[in-house]
Amino acid sequence: MKVLVALLLLVQLLSCKALPHGPFHPLHTRVIDCDDPESEEAAAIALNYINAHHPHGYKYALNSIEKIKVLPRRPFGEIFVLELDLLETVCHVVNPLPIENCTVRPPTDYVVEGDCDVKLVKLEGSFSVLSTKCHSTLDSAEDITQICSDCPILALLNDSQVINAVDLALTEYNRGQDGAYLKLLEIGRAQVQHFPDIVSVEFAVVVTNCSAKDAQDHVDDCQLLPKDLAQFGFCNAAVFTKNNITVSCTIYDHQPGVTHHHLTHDHLGGQLPTVVQGFKHHDLRHSHHGSVHDTSESSSAEASVGLKPAIPVVKRAVGAVQDPTVPSPPVGPGPRHPVCPGKIRHFQV
Ligand SMILES: *[C@@H]1O[C@H](CO)[C@@H](O)[C@H](O)[C@H]1NC(C)=O
Ligand SMILES: *[C@@H]1O[C@H](CO)[C@@H](O)[C@H](O)[C@H]1NC(C)=O
Ligand SMILES: *[C@@H]1O[C@H](CO)[C@@H](O)[C@H](O)[C@H]1NC(C)=O
Ligand SMILES: *[C@@H]1O[C@H](CO)[C@@H](O)[C@H](O)[C@H]1NC(C)=O
């Protein structure tokens, strides 16, 4: 009897082992094009995430989807790996305008191009971002002078002329208005022009609990409004001389839940983050989240497939001799390759 039970168990074990399940199931890799609505949905979610997590500088708009890969995820769902091409807009990160309403900087205005690798998971039809890895590059002065020989050159954000101009402009603005006293959060962009000498600056500000008059007497007591009332703004200014300044500021309505803690905490008073010293723009590089190459939360099947350039379909010669040690590929027309990169929404950089 004991022998029989043991034998039965053994048979069961063997048959279990022979059953194709778990890792032996072939995983289906879906192929979708860069301009597929599903790719666009993934890209839009990634873009919102990037803009919400980019603590400095300006918001970015999508220019094109460069690559997309959809991979099965165990036990459920799919992983989307995308490469996105972005362009800097004129909306500073404190500007509450939705990204669709933000204007992309024109080519004459020193385009900043962002490159992002993003990874999302799609579960039950909805996407969430796992990681983003971006960097951005500023158009070169040579490129600008080719299309516009007298366009002013961008200045370093820590240039003393620039810092001085921002200081003068904000003082001028605070003096001439009867709203709340504004403090500098960060300098976004600056251009220095010669003959006549004009320093043009863009900077983000925060509203304090003082009036301009209060501030004259005791500026050190002027504090930011409490979190549930926090208000931000953005200014454009052109400084010709100390006595010839044009400055305009827009103060945005309070956005519930939006505190820009990073900016108010670390950069109040225009303290430049060290990563910006010596640069002319706020690089997207400083807003990584998660790791694009982190596969701990995903399957091993996905780990082996990286982002590769879309390669042309390799024609398989009919009747080619196959290496007998290599399992034969599945019969059929071979894998379809996604149509990528996708359409360009603004302009080719
Ligand atoms: C954004 O643009 C859309 C379409 O042009 C417009 O209907 C909407 O009012 C704009 N939103 C804001 C906040 O300006
Ligand atoms: C602003 O807030 C600070 C800290 O709460 C307070 O000491 C100061 O008196 C306030 N200033 C004004 C003008 O209300
Ligand atoms: C300020 O500078 C601009 C540009 O140089 C000039 O056109 C304007 O007349 C100046 N205004 C005053 C009040 O000096
Ligand atoms: C700006 O920062 C760079 C890098 O730290 C430094 O080399 C340069 O001297 C700074 N420029 C000014 C005007 O402070």
Side-chain angles (χ1 to χ4, degrees):
M1 191 59 190
K2 267 194 185 136
V3 175
L4 188 61
V5 171
L7 208 73
L8 275 173
L9 277 173
L10 189 66
V11 168
Q12 265 175 7
L13 260 172
L14 282 173
S15 58
C16 267
K17 215 164 174 196
L19 265 181
H21 79 140
F24 295 96
H25 258 316
L27 285 167
H28 267 299
T29 299
R30 219 151 46 88
V31 174
I32 65 173
D33 298 336
C34 277
D35 283 339
D36 190 284
E38 200 179 358
S39 312
E40 295 186 341
E41 189 191 345
I45 285 163
L47 184 68
N48 275 336
Y49 183 94
I50 290 163
N51 281 326
H53 290 80
H54 175 42
H56 293 288
Y58 300 86
K59 295 186 190 184
Y60 284 78
L62 182 64
N63 197 27
S64 78
I65 301 172
E66 293 288 302
K67 289 169 195 166
I68 179 155
K69 201 154 227 157
V70 184
L71 307 157
R73 177 182 181 270
R74 292 185 191 283
F76 335 93
E78 289 174 314
I79 300 284
F80 282 59
V81 184
L82 286 86
E83 194 180 312
L84 306 177
D85 189 14
L86 313 180
L87 289 172
E88 193 187 81
T89 68
V90 300
C91 293
H92 190 268
V93 294
V94 300
N95 187 333
L97 264 190
I99 189 64
E100 305 78 54
N101 297 55
C102 291
T103 313
V104 165
R105 286 190 193 280
T108 49
D109 196 12
Y110 282 89
V111 167
V112 178
E113 191 184 10
D115 266 306
C116 294
D117 289 329
V118 299
K119 199 155 107 179
L120 303 97
V121 60
K122 187 176 191 185
L123 281 175
E124 288 165 5
S126 63
F127 284 104
S128 41
V129 175
L130 293 176
S131 62
T132 62
K133 183 168 187 277
C134 303
H135 70 98
S136 56
T137 43
L138 182 68
D139 205 357
S140 70
E142 289 78 30
D143 287 352
I144 294 292
T145 40
Q146 269 180 15
I147 49 171
C148 164
S149 56
D150 52 359
C151 281
I153 300 293
L154 278 196
L156 293 178
L157 295 172
N158 66 332
D159 185 306
S160 46
Q161 255 186 298
V162 169
I163 293 170
N164 191 36
V166 169
D167 212 35
L168 288 170
L170 188 54
T171 304
E172 175 76 14
Y173 182 83
N174 275 323
R175 184 169 42 219
Q177 54 116 16
D178 31 80
Y181 179 77
L182 304 180
K183 280 191 176 178
L184 177 62
L185 268 186
E186 79 169 8
I187 304 171
R189 223 178 215 250
Q191 293 179 326
V192 177
Q193 186 190 309
H194 299 289
F195 319 113
D197 285 9
I198 302 171
V199 185
S200 308
V201 287
E202 298 180 5
F203 53 95
V205 292
V206 63
V207 172
T208 68
N209 68 344
C210 285
S211 66
K213 196 155 184 357
D214 296 332
Q216 269 173 11
D217 306 332
H218 38 76
V219 69
D220 292 339
D221 291 342
C222 300
Q223 301 291 324
L224 302 196
L225 297 179
K227 278 198 176 82
D228 54 340
L229 297 170
Q231 258 188 303
F232 300 90
F234 188 73
C235 306
N236 287 279
V239 177
F240 304 96
T241 65
K242 222 170 87 178
N243 304 313
N244 188 348
I245 298 168
T246 54
V247 53
S248 67
C249 297
T250 307
I251 307 302
Y252 308 119
D253 289 340
H254 167 71
Q255 306 290 308
V258 176
T259 60
H260 295 291
H261 174 80
H262 179 84
L263 274 175
T264 54
H265 189 261
D266 298 340
H267 307 297
L268 192 61
Q271 289 303 304
L272 282 167
T274 47
V275 292
V276 162
Q277 311 269 344
F279 289 92
K280 298 174 178 174
H281 86 288
H282 294 274
D283 198 325
L284 258 186
R285 188 188 306 279
H286 309 299
S287 62
H288 289 186
H289 286 270
S291 161
V292 172
H293 306 293
D294 180 11
T295 49
S296 56
E297 75 279 79
S298 48
S299 73
S300 57
E302 176 236 331
S304 59
V305 197
L307 256 189
K308 294 210 186 80
I311 44 166
V313 180
V314 178
K315 290 206 183 74
R316 200 174 284 125
V318 182
V321 182
Q322 289 193 348
D323 183 346
T325 60
V326 174
S328 1
V331 214
R336 187 175 84 79
H337 290 279
V339 178
C340 282
K343 64 171 178 274
I344 292 172
R345 287 160 179 75
H346 300 280
F347 44 81
Q348 180 88 55
V349 183

